[in-house]
Amino acid sequence: MNGFLMSTDRRPMLLMTPALLWLFGLMVVPCLLILVLAFFRRGIYGGIEYTWTFENIALVFDPLYFQIFMKSAGIAGLSAAIACVLGYAAAYAIAAMPRRHQPLLLFFAVLPFWSNYLVRTYAWIVLLNREGLIVNLARWIGYEGELPSMLYTEQAVVIGLVYNYLPFVILSCYAPLSRLSPEIAEASRDLGGSAWTTFRRVTLPMTVPGIATGFVFVFVLSIGNFVTPALLGGGQFQMIGNLVYAQFLTANDWPFGAALSMVLIAVMLGLLMGQAVVAERASGGKRAPDG
Amino acid sequence: MPLAESGPPMADRNTFRLMLLILGVVFAFLYIPISVLVGLSFNEGGLPTAWTGFSTKWYGALLENDDILKAAGNTLIVAVFSTLLSTILGTLLAVGVEIRRRNGKWLETVIFAPMIIPDIVLAIALLSMFSLMGVKMGLHTIIVSHVVFNLAFVCAVVRARLKSFDWSIVEASADLGGSTLNTLRRVVIPVLMPAIIAGALLAFTLSVDEFIIAFFTAGAGRSSITLPMQIFAMIRFGVTPEINALATLVMSVSVVALALSQRLNKGGLPGQ
């Protein structure tokens, strides 16, 4: 074997160094900085006072802010659950179509995911606003009464989050569904299981990792979201992302903003580890082959 | 009735109809909002209340809006430079990682992190660092910040390609006396080219679309506003036909770039 391939060679390290330095300087260091910042005091004029304190972390759990945390978690959980139900159904349906059509169906299911997030959210403003398409449609079919405001509500935020992240759930659920071998379900049938029993006892358990991945992904992206609540929830609506935003750009309390993001990251890391455990269990405790 | 060769079991005709219904509902949910937007951008009257005829005048209006043109120019600068940098860094990283093979968990985590770290966290972290270091913010800070997540995506696409790479051609090149640099330049890079271009296209669209990190690292003032920042500001004032047209254009750019990327590198997009 020549030197180029040797894993002990220093040359691979040389290739990796520029990128790793970049990630170190512009990701690891700034994140560590935020971690440290969370334990400093806010200066009188909005600056940072370099004395240690746990006040910021404690303030996150103050009922006033903790309630925003819980509300964000609730909205994120609801969005993730709806996205999982819809996404699983769609993935199941795609996997049930003739093989040759599946790649194209999957491509079109995922395509919106790769278009601009702001634009996708804006599309819902067009539909939901007071002069929007849905109101016009209701008038057109003869509805005369006053319609409840649909934009700037919690429901609008949930719709927006589900809409934006649904394609990811379809992808994560499709992978295990398409790998299911039909013989297993047939075996269940031969043993007298009804279609529903087969789904509930065989298909569903075998595809739980895909659902878990989708759920965690939607939850994580939703709980820290700042664009969707800002646009579909209106100015007053606050989720954790908006609170963090306000600490940095308007309230000028960076240490508190840093503390909020630290708690946010902790919640997300916990969830991701939980998802890794689910994946591990599903693979029968044995490690997935490398690569 | 068509039967799937594998995948979930298909009981009967009714189940198959149910599956078609589900697909219809989900695809309607995914595509109606976008289609309405695109449709309205060509509506002469510009209002969702009535269709008054096909017109491209709202696209013409964009060309006369200096704010939008300036923002588009800035976005192009940011996307081009961050794509160039991240393509070089990401490709070298991918090749290094795949040659080295025995990579610790920490390394995989560092490479994977930029793809899952919440935008808002990376955005405030970078903002804090730049301002504490006294760095003057502008397009250059957006560019270096975008490289962070872009290089991770380029690396992921190139690594996917390297999984099926035939390393024996590298050995052959070395046996024929090629130096490491020559082997890289004349053998490895050409073979990887489709994946590298696919990764670059992906990085380009991610950068064109990225809003939050740009918003936080652009610094004060309007001079380094990007297109998503401009769209965000416009959306907050309400629905206008100009935004519909602009949104349609931005969406088309992403779709075209990604379709190209997909074509070049079948199934190589992260998550697929």
Side-chain angles (χ1 to χ4, degrees), chain A residues 2 4-5 7-8 11-13 15-16 18-20 22-23 25-27 29-31 33-34 37 50 89-90 92-99 105 107-109 111-112 114-116 118-119 122-127 129 131 133 136 163 166 171 177-178 180 182 185 189 224 226-227 230-231 241 244-245 248-249 254 261 265 268 272 291, chain B residues 2 4-10 16 19-20 22-23 26-27 29-31 33-34 36-37 40 48-49 89 92-93 95-97 99-100 102 107 110 113-114 116-118 120-121 124-126 128-132 144 147-148 167 170-171 174 180 184 202 209 211-212 215-216 228 232 235-236 239-240 243-244 247 250-251 254 258 262 271:
Chain A
N2 67 72
F4 196 87
L5 282 168
S7 57
T8 46
R11 269 172 288 190
M13 215 48 218
L15 294 172
M16 291 152 68
L20 290 180
W22 199 284
L23 291 179
L26 287 150
M27 182 183 73
V29 169
C31 288
L33 182 69
I34 285 288
L37 214 54
Y50 295 95
Y92 193 97
I94 291 175
M97 291 296 128
R99 260 279 131 161
L105 285 169
F107 176 75
F108 279 107
L111 190 62
W114 291 109
S115 71
N116 191 296
L118 284 171
V119 169
Y122 170 71
W124 280 96
I125 301 183
V126 174
L127 288 179
N129 79 75
E131 288 303 315
L133 198 82
N136 278 311
Y163 182 70
L166 180 62
L171 263 188
L177 276 167
S178 68
L180 271 188
R189 288 272 181 65
F226 135 76
V227 170
L231 293 180
V244 172
Y245 165 88
F248 276 85
L249 293 188
W254 289 21
S261 359
I265 289 194
M268 295 188 308
L272 288 170
Chain B
E5 295 92 54
S6 77
M10 296 298 311
F16 189 74
M19 294 298 130
L20 285 181
I22 290 172
L23 281 182
V26 170
F27 276 92
F29 177 65
L30 285 175
Y31 281 92
I34 304 176
V36 168
L37 185 65
L40 284 179
T49 10
L89 293 177
L92 292 179
L93 179 64
V95 175
V97 166
I99 294 174
R100 199 158 164 269
R102 284 183 303 129
L107 184 68
V110 168
I116 57 157
I117 200 165
I120 185 96
V121 173
I124 59 159
L126 286 162
S128 307
M129 187 179 77
F130 289 143
S131 44
L132 288 178
V144 298
V147 171
V148 173
W167 290 101
V170 172
E171 278 173 61
T180 304
L184 196 63
L202 180 63
D209 286 342
F211 164 60
I212 297 171
F215 188 68
F216 277 81
F232 185 74
I235 293 174
R236 296 197 114 180
V239 176
T240 69
I243 311 178
N244 297 340
V250 168
M251 211 157 50
S254 326
L258 277 151
Q262 186 91 345

Side-chain angles (χ1 to χ4, degrees), chain A residues 51-67:
Chain A
T51 46
W52 297 102
T53 177
F54 280 99
E55 277 166 23
N56 304 307
I57 302 288
L59 195 58
V60 175
F61 296 96
D62 182 277
L64 178 67
Y65 295 111
F66 194 64
Q67 157 233 328

Side-chain angles (χ1 to χ4, degrees), chain B residues 24-141:
Chain B
V25 170
V26 170
F27 276 92
F29 177 65
L30 285 175
Y31 281 92
I32 286 176
I34 304 176
S35 313
V36 168
L37 185 65
V38 174
L40 284 179
S41 75
F42 292 107
N43 186 8
E44 222 220 316
L47 292 169
T49 10
W51 178 259
T52 52
F54 182 88
S55 160
T56 52
K57 75 171 185 195
W58 302 115
Y59 290 87
L62 292 181
L63 293 176
E64 279 154 30
N65 187 326
D66 288 337
D67 284 346
I68 290 176
L69 290 179
K70 170 91 173 122
N74 282 342
T75 297
L76 199 63
I77 294 171
V78 168
V80 166
F81 283 102
S82 76
T83 301
L84 279 175
L85 277 166
S86 57
T87 304
I88 296 168
L89 293 177
T91 303
L92 292 179
L93 179 64
V95 175
V97 166
E98 288 301 313
I99 294 174
R100 199 158 164 269
R101 284 192 204 142
R102 284 183 303 129
N103 294 304
K105 216 169 183 157
W106 68 269
L107 184 68
E108 295 291 343
T109 310
V110 168
I111 297 173
F112 187 57
M115 295 199 275
I116 57 157
I117 200 165
D119 310 353
I120 185 96
V121 173
L122 191 57
I124 59 159
L126 286 162
L127 167 68
S128 307
M129 187 179 77
F130 289 143
S131 44
L132 288 178
M133 283 169 51
V135 176
K136 195 170 170 349
M137 285 182 269
L139 290 182
H140 55 288
T141 40

